[in-house]
Amino acid sequence: MAGKIKNYFAGGNTARGFHNLYDTNLQGLDRLFILKGGPGTGKSSLMKKIGNEWLEKGYDIEFLHCSSDNNSIDGVLIPALRVGIVDGTAPHVIEPIAPGAIDEYINLGEAWDARALAIHKNTILKLSNQIIKTFHKAYDTYKEALDIHDDWEKIYINSMDFKKADQLTNKLIDTFFGKMKLSKRSDIRHRFLGAATPKGAVDFVPNLTEEISKRYFIKGRPGSGKSTMLKKLAAAAEVKGVDVEVYHCGFDPNSLDMVIFRELGIAIFDSTAPHEYFPSRDGDEIIDMYELLIAPGTDEIFEDIINKISTKYKNKMVEATSYLAKAKELHDELEEIYIAAMDFSVVERIQSKIAEEIRELAASKVE
């Protein structure tokens, strides 16, 4: 029986630039392979092949998706073997845990013809520079969108009953944890449930919550306290020794979109656009922050200004996404140059070497 795949992002294109959440997801590994090499050197394909090998053997795996290329992954983890493989090229900054003892750098650049690449040096430099500039345009535009979103939030913050918000949060803390106090340290993983990608917003909420028995769908408006409540719930879980998967907002990583307490079978998440979902299973429950905490009639009183802000915000998000799509086009051009200079038989040998080392590691764990 095949294992199960957990999908998420550990890096994202955000209003605060490229944001990296790799560290907590790589903690506790016995072996980490960090792949180096240019675009088109087969890093994502290598990771997918090894991940799928262990998936077919019945092991659960985690795919860390790439926010800049919808068809690529940035990493694969096999938790039961405490093994991971990650793309260690820019913009992913992977700090080694214990170089040599745990981490091993794998250079896929061994497989390219440096002379063939040298012929295209000027084109490579030009494309690389254009890609960097285009990503910065995307980040700057997302920042403009965030500033607009802040104005949107102020309308609801000024109409919010903070005392009721605290009462709601405390009630949920009591419902989730009661007098529970586990005799262990909380394992906390920081991730993104979704990301801004060249194809627009993408999320993995259904996949991440498919085995969760109790799901809370938070509805509301910008500034209605969704993220603040999630942060308080995560903090309470840590005090109780409950493991937490903390999912940051792919637009503003300082905000949270979801927390999962997997050992308790509980997930609670911001279920508004662009990751809007509705109850579909027994046990699903809606928490409407607008209805519970915001002064009645706020939508109607500020309807005109809300519509203007909403339109400005959506236009900026579309513009920012167009820059990510352009960066992807440029990256594809760069990939073609590298692919033409690659000897993929060398990549296959490297893949076989990594695969064999993981098999040996698995065998030693069985012994």
Side-chain angles (χ1 to χ4, degrees):
M1 184 177 168
K4 292 186 176 173
I5 301 171
K6 192 182 291 179
N7 298 295
Y8 56 88
F9 295 88
N13 300 305
T14 81
R16 304 181 192 279
F18 183 82
H19 199 79
N20 188 335
L21 294 173
Y22 279 84
D23 289 356
T24 61
N25 295 291
L26 304 181
Q27 67 189 12
L29 296 179
D30 292 333
R31 202 83 177 100
L32 176 64
F33 300 92
I34 303 172
L35 306 181
K36 296 288 190 179
T41 51
K43 299 184 293 294
S44 178
S45 297
L46 182 156
M47 292 186 284
K48 285 179 181 177
K49 284 176 185 173
I50 290 178
N52 286 325
E53 175 191 335
W54 289 94
L55 185 70
E56 288 167 14
K57 290 179 178 179
Y59 285 75
D60 292 345
I61 65 164
E62 298 178 7
F63 278 143
L64 285 59
H65 287 256
C66 176
S67 57
S68 300
D69 183 345
N70 296 77
N71 297 319
S72 292
I73 61 169
D74 283 340
V76 60
L77 304 179
I78 313 167
L81 300 181
R82 299 166 77 93
V83 170
I85 313 171
V86 292
D87 180 346
T89 57
H92 323 107
V93 180
I94 312 292
E95 294 296 336
I97 303 162
I102 293 176
D103 316 84
E104 181 179 345
Y105 286 95
I106 307 290
N107 181 19
L108 297 183
E110 292 175 16
W112 63 42
D113 182 341
R115 287 181 185 175
L117 291 175
I119 296 168
H120 299 283
K121 181 183 77 172
N122 291 337
T123 306
I124 290 170
L125 289 171
K126 182 184 174 185
L127 285 170
S128 298
N129 190 43
Q130 286 178 314
I131 290 167
I132 291 167
K133 284 182 177 177
T134 308
F135 271 118
H136 281 297
K137 279 184 183 176
Y139 301 148
D140 289 344
T141 309
Y142 280 127
K143 178 62 172 68
E144 290 174 33
L146 181 59
D147 291 341
I148 294 166
H149 197 270
D150 287 345
D151 290 336
W152 198 352
E153 286 189 343
K154 285 171 190 170
I155 294 168
Y156 294 100
I157 289 169
N158 292 334
S159 303
M160 186 167 164
D161 187 327
F162 288 94
K163 186 178 178 183
K164 280 186 181 176
D166 288 339
Q167 288 170 347
L168 173 62
T169 302
N170 291 334
K171 182 184 174 186
L172 286 172
I173 289 171
D174 190 52
T175 301
F176 292 177
F177 314 118
K179 294 187 173 14
M180 181 188 304
K181 184 72 172 81
L182 304 182
S183 57
K184 66 177 177 65
R185 190 172 180 177
S186 176
D187 183 303
I188 301 175
R189 308 283 166 145
H190 290 271
R191 300 163 174 167
F192 293 105
L193 63 82
T197 80
K199 291 184 178 178
V202 170
D203 74 79
F204 293 115
V205 170
N207 168 260
L208 291 167
T209 64
E210 66 183 351
E211 293 182 290
I212 300 296
S213 54
K214 184 67 179 176
R215 302 188 300 175
Y216 293 85
F217 297 63
I218 310 173
K219 301 295 182 180
R221 310 288 188 274
S224 57
K226 300 185 293 291
S227 174
T228 300
M229 184 170 75
L230 291 172
K231 287 177 181 177
K232 289 180 178 177
L233 290 168
E238 185 175 4
V239 171
K240 300 279 189 178
V242 174
D243 297 342
V244 193
E245 293 170 29
V246 180
Y247 291 89
H248 293 249
C249 172
F251 172 53
D252 177 7
N254 292 347
S255 291
L256 300 188
D257 275 345
M258 175 165 73
V259 289
I260 295 180
F261 312 113
R262 205 166 284 277
E263 61 198 321
L264 304 183
I266 295 171
I268 178 166
F269 60 97
D270 180 341
S271 186
T272 58
H275 32 79
E276 184 174 25
Y277 293 92
F278 294 92
S280 59
R281 306 195 313 235
D282 289 344
D284 286 351
E285 188 174 325
I286 286 177
I287 299 173
D288 191 329
M289 306 288 272
Y290 180 80
E291 188 179 292
L292 295 170
L293 308 177
I294 306 296
T298 299
D299 279 348
E300 291 75 16
I301 293 166
F302 296 98
E303 184 178 5
D304 289 344
I305 189 168
I306 288 169
N307 286 338
K308 285 175 185 172
I309 290 173
S310 171
T311 301
K312 277 176 68 180
Y313 170 73
K314 286 172 184 172
N315 289 341
K316 278 294 170 190
M317 293 297 281
V318 169
E319 183 186 345
T321 300
S322 75
Y323 291 128
L324 291 184
K326 179 62 180 173
K328 172 69 168 60
E329 283 178 25
L330 293 166
H331 191 270
D332 288 348
E333 285 184 50
L334 192 58
E335 274 195 341
E336 286 178 16
I337 296 170
Y338 278 87
I339 288 169
M342 288 290 292
D343 179 349
F344 283 101
S345 67
V346 175
V347 177
E348 286 172 14
R349 284 199 295 273
I350 292 170
Q351 180 192 314
S352 296
K353 180 177 175 293
I354 295 171
E356 185 55 37
E357 190 171 331
I358 294 173
R359 290 184 204 114
E360 287 172 5
L361 196 86
S364 70
K365 287 183 184 293
V366 171
E367 292 166 11

